[in-house]
Amino acid sequence: MPANKKLLILPGDGIGPEVMREVRRIIEWMEQRRHARFEISEGLVGGAALDAEGVPCPDSTVAAARAADAVLFGSVGGPKWDSLPFERRPELGILRLRKELGLFANLRPAVVLDPLVDASSLKPEVVRGLDIMIVRESTGGIYFGEPRGITTDAAGRRTGIDTEVYTEEEIARVARIAFDLARKRRNKVTSTEKANVMQSGRLWRAVVSEVHKAEFPDVQLEHMYADNAAMQLCSRPKQFDVILASNLFGDLLSDLAAALTGSLGMLPSATLGAVQPDGRRHALYEPIHGSAPDIAGKGIANPSAQILSFAMLLRWSFGMEEDARMIETAVEKVVAGGLRTADIMQPGMARVGTAVMGEAVVRELEKLA
Ligand code: NAD
């Protein structure tokens, strides 16, 4: 089979390279046993790029990301670079990539695996079987709107300003992603905003309704105020299928949903751009956790979130649904079988490190193949 799937791997900092090594193990297995062929390149981002080239996201990395069919990202940052001025922070690496590739829709699944149901802070019966997808707008809204800044008046009093701005095009394109996703799941979208007190929220609700009526009338749509959605997530989370939210509300709601699962080391994410005229779509996949400097270099990080991010990549960028599912099942079986990294350790289970966890996933894949 020809190597036609161009994959750019950006391991980044801290535990990034450690957990990425386990994805490489799975790729090797897939090439041998599933006859999959990937054209893989590796690049620098974050602190690693700052050390080598003096910038958090070199032009060469952006060019490689543009040329790739998909980007698999580790995580960036760490105490070594914490004292740098804001413009040189490692975290700007991911922001530049999102901006340059036009990655406007952040997809974050919050899934509670049965064997980890006790890791949630909520009662098992409230979260058992939980499977939510949060679609967060990620290039607009209050994190980017102008004017912004801190001004000082003549009397020396300071004012902090941020501006929530959304155009109808920005709302419509992310709404389409949410509706499209819902069709492949349980066919329901809950769109969140604060239409009661925000003008941008009024427009959000109107545009989502228009897109729904014109293009996705078969999908169930409900509107919910974002504060109520936060409350409902904590009390009755299983009512949700796909939650659609702005950049700000999505940031909060997706962290809340992640907390419901109780396991940061298990959660992947994807950020998608628009479909290009040639049919390609830029996309970047990354775990939701950071570079975990407190455990970096110890070989104890949980590689599952990075591995599951790769599964999302196979599904969304390469259309390899069967392989994606196989990897997700293999991870679940490893956890169900009692192997646990420190972050998901429970009484009676066997505590293992990053490499043992990765090897165990490959063993399960072998059984499933
Ligand atoms: P973090 O997610 O790195 O760590 C939070 C806690 O969870 C730590 O105790 C860590 O040890 C643990 N943890 C995280 N991932 C784990 C895994 N796979 N296995 C086991 N334990 C895991 O968040 P933080 O400490 O707030 O941030 C650390 C650095 O990461 C900062 O520089 C931050 O800016 C950066 N960060 C980067 C990204 C990104 O690259 N997209 C995202 C979040 C944070």
Side-chain angles (χ1 to χ4, degrees):
M1 199 186 279
N4 54 357
K5 298 180 178 66
K6 282 199 194 125
L7 173 61
L8 174 65
I9 292 186
L10 302 173
D13 309 317
I15 61 168
E18 298 171 37
V19 291
M20 201 65 91
R21 219 167 284 138
E22 302 314 312
V23 174
R24 286 290 197 142
R25 203 192 286 277
I26 287 167
I27 292 176
E28 266 170 40
W29 179 85
M30 287 183 70
E31 291 189 330
Q32 282 169 15
R33 297 284 281 117
R34 302 282 292 170
H35 307 295
R37 289 282 172 274
F38 301 98
E39 193 181 315
I40 299 177
S41 54
E42 203 163 292
L44 292 172
V45 73
L50 274 163
D51 288 352
E53 307 197 14
V55 286
C57 187
D59 292 344
S60 54
T61 297
V62 174
R66 277 189 203 288
D69 295 316
V71 179
L72 187 66
F73 189 94
S75 47
V76 292
K80 182 176 175 191
W81 306 281
D82 273 353
S83 53
L84 288 175
F86 184 75
E87 326 73 69
R88 295 189 59 221
R89 299 267 313 181
E91 289 79 1
L92 291 181
I94 181 74
L95 293 184
R96 179 170 184 209
L97 279 174
R98 280 195 194 137
K99 188 157 168 261
E100 298 266 358
L101 301 183
L103 304 174
F104 63 85
N106 183 225
L107 275 48
R108 276 203 193 184
V111 176
V112 171
L113 300 181
D114 227 32
L116 292 178
V117 76
D118 292 324
S120 173
S121 53
L122 297 188
K123 296 190 193 91
E125 61 269 26
V126 178
V127 292
R128 192 181 304 279
L130 185 77
D131 179 0
I132 300 175
M133 178 70 85
I134 303 212
V135 178
R136 167 190 170 193
E137 200 290 327
S138 56
T139 52
I142 201 161
Y143 296 156
F144 296 94
E146 298 283 346
R148 58 195 284 110
I150 298 175
T151 60
T152 309
D153 69 10
R157 279 184 305 234
R158 288 168 299 166
T159 304
I161 305 164
D162 295 283
T163 308
E164 170 90 345
V165 186
Y166 270 114
T167 65
E168 56 181 314
E169 290 80 11
E170 284 173 317
I171 300 167
R173 66 183 184 175
V174 74
R176 283 191 188 100
I177 298 234
F179 286 125
D180 204 26
L181 255 168
R183 275 185 177 156
K184 299 179 183 107
R185 295 169 49 94
R186 299 189 300 281
N187 215 33
K188 178 177 170 190
V189 170
T190 304
S191 174
T192 61
E193 26 58 14
K194 292 280 288 175
N196 48 344
V197 287
M198 292 171 72
Q199 296 300 337
S200 55
R202 284 181 56 207
L203 183 68
W204 184 280
R205 186 175 283 219
V207 173
V208 171
S209 297
E210 286 156 21
V211 170
H212 175 249
K213 192 168 168 211
E215 300 172 43
F216 301 91
D218 53 301
V219 179
Q220 186 190 345
L221 167 67
E222 74 176 349
H223 299 283
M224 191 180 278
Y225 295 138
D227 48 346
N228 184 24
M231 219 153 51
Q232 297 288 330
L233 265 173
C234 295
S235 52
R236 288 200 311 117
K238 281 191 267 186
Q239 68 184 286
F240 297 109
D241 178 15
V242 175
I243 297 179
L244 170 64
S246 66
N247 206 342
L248 174 64
F249 294 142
D251 194 359
L252 304 180
L253 294 177
S254 60
D255 270 20
L256 179 54
L260 296 184
T261 73
S263 40
L264 200 56
M266 301 294 301
L267 296 172
S269 78
T271 319
L272 309 178
V275 177
Q276 319 275 318
D278 63 2
R280 290 171 65 223
R281 153 182 267 160
H282 287 306
L284 182 146
Y285 302 82
E286 59 180 323
I288 72 160
H289 62 71
S291 55
D294 54 332
I295 58 165
K298 295 185 180 160
I300 58 170
N302 186 349
S304 302
Q306 191 76 62
I307 292 171
L308 294 171
S309 300
F310 178 62
M312 278 187 98
L313 181 153
L314 294 177
R315 172 175 294 124
W316 283 91
S317 286
F318 296 155
M320 297 168 72
E321 175 66 31
E322 193 187 330
D323 295 78
R325 257 176 221 262
M326 215 176 192
I327 292 172
E328 287 161 355
T329 307
V331 169
E332 184 165 358
K333 281 185 178 290
V334 168
V335 174
L339 293 191
R340 300 294 169 86
T341 41
D343 57 313
I344 50 170
M345 186 58 193
Q346 285 172 316
M349 304 289 158
R351 190 174 179 139
V352 298
T354 313
V356 172
M357 200 77 171
E359 284 159 10
V361 173
V362 169
R363 262 200 312 279
E364 287 299 336
L365 283 171
E366 192 62 43
K367 285 189 215 159
L368 291 166

